[in-house]
Amino acid sequence: MKRKLVMATLSLSLVFSTYTVSAETLSSIKEKKEKNRSEQTEKQGELKKNQNQQDHTLDQIQKLESSIDKTLNDIGNKKESIQETKASIEKLKKEIDVLEKRIKERDALLKERVTSMYESGGAVNYLDVVLGSKDFGDFLDRVFALNVIAEQDKAILEEHKQDKESVEKKKGQVESELLSLNSDLTELEGLNQKLTDQKKQKNALLAQLETEEDHLHDHIMQLDETNELLSAQEAAIKAEIERAKREEAERKKREAEARAAAAAAAEKAREEAEAREKNKSNSGGSGGSGSSPSPTPPPAPTPAPAPVSRDFIMPSQGFITSGFGNRSAGMHYGMDIAQGGSTVPIVAAASGTVTRAYYSSSYGNVVYITHYINGQLYTTLYAHMRSTPAVSQGQSVSQGTFLGYQGNTGASRGQHLHFELHKGPWNGSKSNAVDPRPYLQ
């Protein structure tokens, strides 16, 4: 009777404590949801302002890009003109080489003639040519020939002189134009560099605005996720408390059955021992001359001890690459466990109810599990899984249930499991986060 009373008292105590924890927790969750909605509205206003700033910056960037495109086009035209000028210079150089070679050859011929004329007296030679005529017709032919030769020599000299002057003039013009083009190109390249620097500055500003926008988007996404998590957590807490109550009742039932079985076995052993003792006493009284000492009854069998269990187990294999605590980049609210291989399993650290199992922009493929252990509420988080989690929201899981594989999804820089343990319900500020290691050892 007393045993039943004690059991009833314990059960009632458990119900009241469960109700108190549940009521306080759910009330806290509702307050956090309202706060998140207010913060979300504020962040959306900031995002709108940021987007207006981005639009203005984008207009400036587009103007700069148009100016840069024009400059690059001018540079391309200048480079093409320079190439044409260089080709023209090369062509002129070849023509000059041909002309200079011909001039040189003719200069040698004319020099030879002049030398001959100088050595022979010049006019005498002409006189000899004229006086050596056979007749008047031959005389005229010779005089005409001499005039033609003289005129041809003169024309050749004049032509070569004009060609050389023309070539030198053109060469000078082309070289001058090339210098001008090179100067223009240098100026345009300088202008392009200036515009490129301006573009870099604007891009840097745009990148900063985009970073701020991404941060705001992430924060808004986190607020959305937080609201969804909090809503899911309400249901998970209720389901987990019910699960814990059922398991507690089943455990107590098993223990009671084990005690009853042990008591029945002990009672049976006692009765058997008394029967044996009675039989021996009856046998000794009828034929024996003395009495023998009563044998000691065998000890009552005791139930086998229940296996020792831990509240939490390691959720995955590998090395702890980063523990709980402050880092240069900020607070690290969990521990990272990493091991090579494409199929490193992740399991539930304790029995509980899956709060959410989905893809998060920061956590990647992630699972949240709500636990109710010895009257205390806990939440565990398993992030960066390789693929879609193997469990779903609202599912009841046992300690060691397979959740997925270590991965590199979300904001991650290598395959690992990011594991968090919160003593109480999960919240966006992670104020309930605790170092998991003492709970796993």
Side-chain angles (χ1 to χ4, degrees):
M1 182 66 182
K2 289 182 179 180
R3 183 181 301 168
K4 291 182 180 179
L5 182 60
V6 170
M7 292 291 293
T9 303
L10 289 173
S11 299
L12 188 60
S13 175
L14 177 61
V15 170
F16 282 132
S17 64
T18 298
Y19 176 78
T20 302
V21 171
S22 176
E24 292 177 355
T25 300
L26 296 178
S27 175
S28 174
I29 288 173
K30 289 180 181 178
E31 290 178 3
K32 288 183 174 63
K33 286 174 67 175
E34 292 299 326
K35 182 180 179 181
N36 286 337
R37 289 193 185 97
S38 175
E39 187 177 355
Q40 187 174 13
T41 301
E42 179 183 350
K43 292 299 179 182
Q44 285 174 339
E46 292 179 16
L47 179 60
K48 180 64 176 177
K49 180 180 178 181
N50 181 276
Q51 287 174 336
N52 291 336
Q53 291 175 340
Q54 270 198 351
D55 291 340
H56 176 69
T57 304
L58 282 171
D59 289 340
Q60 292 179 305
I61 290 291
Q62 289 174 352
K63 291 178 181 178
L64 280 170
E65 287 178 345
S66 298
S67 179
I68 288 172
D69 289 341
K70 181 180 182 302
T71 302
L72 290 173
N73 185 58
D74 292 342
I75 289 174
N77 292 335
K78 287 294 182 182
K79 286 182 177 179
E80 184 178 350
S81 177
I82 287 172
Q83 293 299 324
E84 291 176 355
T85 304
K86 287 181 178 179
S88 177
I89 289 174
E90 291 300 320
K91 181 180 179 181
L92 286 171
K93 283 182 178 179
K94 290 179 180 179
E95 292 177 354
I96 290 171
D97 289 341
V98 172
L99 290 172
E100 287 180 343
K101 183 178 180 181
R102 285 159 52 183
I103 289 171
K104 185 177 180 180
E105 292 174 351
R106 290 180 180 180
D107 279 347
L109 177 61
L110 292 172
K111 183 179 180 180
E112 182 180 351
R113 290 182 183 182
V114 171
T115 301
S116 176
M117 290 170 63
Y118 176 77
E119 291 177 349
S120 60
V124 177
N125 288 337
Y126 278 100
L127 183 61
D128 289 343
V129 171
V130 172
L131 293 177
S133 302
K134 296 177 181 180
D135 51 33
F136 186 72
D138 186 34
F139 170 78
L140 291 177
D141 289 338
R142 291 191 177 201
V143 171
F144 180 75
L146 288 173
N147 287 334
V148 170
I149 292 172
E151 288 297 327
Q152 286 180 344
D153 289 345
K154 183 179 179 181
I156 290 172
L157 287 172
E158 187 64 27
E159 181 183 351
H160 279 252
K161 180 181 178 181
Q162 289 178 356
D163 286 345
K164 289 179 70 176
E165 289 177 352
S166 177
V167 168
E168 291 297 329
K169 181 179 179 181
K170 289 181 180 180
K171 185 177 179 180
Q173 289 176 346
V174 172
E175 289 179 349
S176 175
E177 186 179 356
L178 180 59
L179 289 174
S180 176
L181 287 174
N182 285 331
S183 176
D184 290 343
L185 179 59
T186 301
E187 181 181 352
L188 286 172
E189 286 178 347
L191 180 59
N192 182 52
Q193 183 61 46
K194 179 180 178 180
L195 291 175
T196 300
D197 291 341
Q198 290 177 341
K199 183 179 178 181
K200 286 181 179 179
Q201 293 175 2
K202 293 300 180 182
N203 283 341
L205 178 60
L206 181 60
Q208 180 182 352
L209 290 174
E210 287 176 347
T211 300
E212 292 175 0
E213 183 189 20
D214 288 342
H215 173 72
L216 291 171
H217 274 310
D218 287 344
H219 192 54
I220 289 174
M221 187 178 296
Q222 288 171 4
L223 289 172
D224 290 338
E225 289 180 3
T226 298
N227 286 335
E228 291 179 12
L229 276 168
L230 290 173
S231 297
Q233 201 164 220
E234 290 183 71
I237 289 172
K238 293 176 181 178
E240 176 58 17
I241 291 175
E242 289 300 319
R243 184 200 65 79
K245 286 168 63 177
R246 287 195 305 270
E247 288 191 356
E248 178 67 14
E250 290 174 0
R251 183 185 64 80
K252 289 181 177 180
K253 181 180 178 182
R254 289 194 300 270
E255 290 179 354
E257 289 175 349
R259 286 194 297 270
E267 180 64 23
K268 183 178 179 180
R270 185 183 64 79
E271 291 175 353
E272 290 176 349
E274 288 179 351
R276 286 194 299 270
E277 179 63 24
K278 184 177 180 181
N279 290 335
K280 288 180 181 180
S281 297
N282 293 334
S283 299
S286 59
S289 59
S291 62
S292 59
S294 300
T296 305
T302 57
V308 178
S309 63
R310 290 179 294 168
D311 293 337
F312 295 93
I313 61 172
M314 285 294 291
S316 189
Q317 299 175 346
F319 298 96
I320 297 175
T321 56
S322 181
F324 180 92
N326 282 308
R327 299 289 182 273
S328 58
M331 182 66 181
H332 189 236
Y333 288 98
M335 59 186 287
D336 294 341
I337 306 171
Q339 181 165 298
S342 59
T343 55
V344 182
I346 299 169
V347 300
S351 298
T353 301
V354 177
T355 310
R356 283 201 76 192
Y358 70 112
Y359 183 86
S360 165
S361 60
S362 55
Y363 284 130
N365 291 309
V366 60
V367 171
Y368 293 76
I369 301 179
T370 298
H371 313 271
Y372 191 75
I373 302 172
N374 300 326
Q376 173 63 51
L377 193 69
Y378 296 93
T379 307
T380 54
L381 181 153
Y382 312 78
H384 308 308
M385 292 184 181
R386 178 176 295 274
S387 55
T388 304
V391 294
S392 57
Q393 182 173 328
Q395 180 178 339
S396 181
V397 295
S398 300
Q399 187 178 67
T401 297
F402 173 73
L403 305 178
Y405 296 108
Q406 285 187 18
N408 189 30
T409 56
S412 171
R413 295 183 179 180
Q415 175 177 299
H416 72 289
L417 164 66
H418 174 77
F419 176 72
E420 293 181 14
L421 176 62
H422 301 256
K423 192 174 183 180
W426 181 92
N427 61 69
S429 63
K430 300 188 178 181
S431 58
N432 291 336
V434 294
D435 186 356
R437 265 194 272 198
Y439 293 84
L440 300 173
Q441 294 174 351

